[in-house]
Amino acid sequence: MTNLFLLIFGTCCFAYLFWGSRILPEERWQFMASMPRQRRADGPWDGTNLTWYGFFSANAYLVAVALFLLLTGTLALPRSAMALYALALLAICVPASKLVARIVEKKAHTFTVGGAVFVGLVSAPWILALFNLAAHYGGGTSLPAFPVLSALAIAYAFGEGLGRLACISFGCCYGKPLDQNPLWLNRLLGKWSVCYSGATKKAAYASNLEGKPVLPVQAVTATLYVTIGLAGCALFLAGHFATAFALSITFTQLWRVVSEFLRADYRGSGRLSTYQWMGLLAIPYAWLLPIWFTSTQLLHPDLRLGLTSLWHPGLLLGLQALWLFILFFTGRSAVTGATLTFHVNHEQI
């Protein structure tokens, strides 16, 4: 059953990425709606744009949280405790995605996945320790450290991988133009190059790259992270929790460091950006965690149990609420605007 699950899930993820990588650079896939905000004196309305960036980000968060709950559900861990733990992490990481970008990039209206991941990785074990401390004094059951952290790392790999479609739709996190790369790199990735259309894509207004072929960094990242996530899932479901955790964190963060050398968007001054340093520091930090968080529990994942654990009305409603929150939190564009006019179609009356 595990192999079938991984085959179906992986096929769906890769089909989703293939579809998005092909069509999302088009201009029409940046804005999904515009909402009137205030009427001008001359008649038209100023509007707030709701972007596909928010839609695809919400999808990624939804899949990541659902997968985390599924994997921890395979171990019969308390569903309410896992949902509360995920909520506590989201309460830290989601605001951090804006706060870290404001500190590092000096920009108030942008998001950083790298910064949020680093904050989440640093805080996740200690939040888990607080949960276990509360369980100890409250007479509850302690949560096993590495199975939970492993499920979290795998869910993150899928979340960031699928979330790269949001970057493609908005035209951010874009690669270098082909004419600025070594020949061997263009031979390797040039045939999958991306051309963004639309003056409101970030690649256009920030780097004047509209219509110019650039390296498909987002698509490569998405494919690599989903592949790492699938490998991590296989290891997790086989009971190799620490290995799954180390694999997921090590390779995703190594690629974060490497991929920034292939990007053309501004990531800060210096030979290594702040986000690259975060990625580099995350790896030894993750490898040192077994020193502080040891576990003697022998757990055997049961995929059927995990799939069944997701079928709960409260949990499903909570996931829907999370999707809506992320849609509006990340999807309301502050760096673009809209001018709206309305009229009556008299022939339709």
Side-chain angles (χ1 to χ4, degrees):
M1 184 177 180
T2 297
N3 291 338
L4 180 61
F5 168 76
L6 292 175
L7 177 63
I8 294 173
F9 186 43
T11 300
C12 291
C13 287
F14 286 125
Y16 179 65
L17 294 179
F18 178 76
W19 167 83
S21 298
R22 286 175 61 87
I23 72 165
L24 295 181
E26 298 174 11
E27 184 175 12
R28 67 190 182 95
W29 284 99
Q30 184 170 3
F31 304 117
M32 61 183 298
S34 291
M35 301 169 287
R37 186 179 69 250
Q38 181 177 345
R39 190 168 186 172
R40 300 177 185 173
D42 57 348
W45 290 74
D46 289 323
T48 298
N49 294 321
L50 191 62
T51 62
W52 287 107
Y53 180 99
F55 176 86
F56 290 110
S57 294
N59 288 352
Y61 272 92
L62 178 67
V63 171
V65 173
L67 182 61
F68 171 74
L69 295 174
L70 184 152
L71 291 175
T72 54
T74 65
L75 304 173
L77 298 181
R79 180 167 47 204
S80 57
M82 290 296 90
L84 187 60
Y85 178 69
L87 185 62
L89 271 176
L90 288 172
I92 294 173
C93 294
V94 174
S97 66
K98 290 195 73 170
L99 180 60
V100 175
R102 179 174 294 187
I103 295 172
V104 174
E105 301 178 47
K106 313 301 181 187
K107 296 178 181 179
H109 303 295
T110 190
F111 297 94
T112 168
V113 176
V117 168
F118 184 74
V119 171
L121 177 62
V122 170
S123 59
W126 309 107
I127 295 175
L128 184 61
L130 289 175
F131 268 68
N132 285 340
L133 186 64
H136 174 73
Y137 287 104
T141 304
S142 295
L143 302 173
F146 266 93
V148 173
L149 294 176
S150 177
L152 186 66
I154 294 164
Y156 150 69
F158 276 101
E160 180 161 359
L162 299 176
R164 285 297 159 182
L165 292 190
C167 300
I168 297 176
S169 72
F170 201 80
C172 60
C173 307
Y174 45 92
K176 292 181 178 180
L178 297 188
D179 58 11
Q180 295 181 14
N181 300 309
L183 184 60
W184 67 266
L185 188 57
N186 286 341
R187 285 176 177 172
L188 181 65
L189 297 175
K191 59 183 176 181
W192 293 294
S193 62
V194 179
C195 287
Y196 293 101
S197 60
T200 53
K201 296 279 192 180
K202 187 175 181 180
Y205 68 75
S207 299
N208 195 31
L209 292 176
E210 182 181 5
K212 298 179 181 179
V214 300
L215 288 176
V217 176
Q218 305 103 317
V220 174
T221 300
T223 303
L224 180 63
Y225 278 36
V226 168
T227 302
I228 292 169
L230 287 170
C233 271
L235 288 167
F236 184 98
L237 294 173
H240 305 300
F241 307 118
T243 306
F245 175 75
L247 172 80
S248 301
I249 296 299
T250 301
F251 284 96
T252 55
Q253 298 314 298
L254 278 177
W255 176 249
R256 179 176 303 285
V257 176
V258 173
S259 66
E260 289 210 9
F261 290 118
L262 308 178
R263 288 168 55 170
D265 57 325
Y266 176 74
R267 308 299 292 163
S269 58
R271 299 186 68 177
L272 290 178
S273 73
T274 302
Y275 300 121
Q276 286 174 305
W277 280 113
M278 288 179 182
L280 288 173
L281 291 172
I283 296 170
Y285 177 80
W287 281 78
L288 288 171
L289 285 178
I291 297 175
W292 295 295
F293 297 92
T294 57
S295 176
T296 57
Q297 292 177 271
L298 295 177
L299 299 170
H300 303 283
D302 183 342
L303 184 57
R304 290 183 177 85
L305 191 62
L307 292 170
T308 303
S309 69
L310 288 180
W311 195 249
H312 183 273
L315 185 59
L316 295 176
L317 289 172
L319 289 173
Q320 292 177 40
L322 171 66
W323 187 90
L324 285 171
F325 172 76
I326 297 298
L327 170 67
F328 285 97
F329 181 79
T330 63
R332 285 180 299 133
S333 176
V335 298
T336 64
T339 300
L340 309 175
T341 59
F342 303 94
H343 62 271
V344 175
N345 292 322
H346 290 279
E347 68 279 7
Q348 300 297 330
I349 297 176

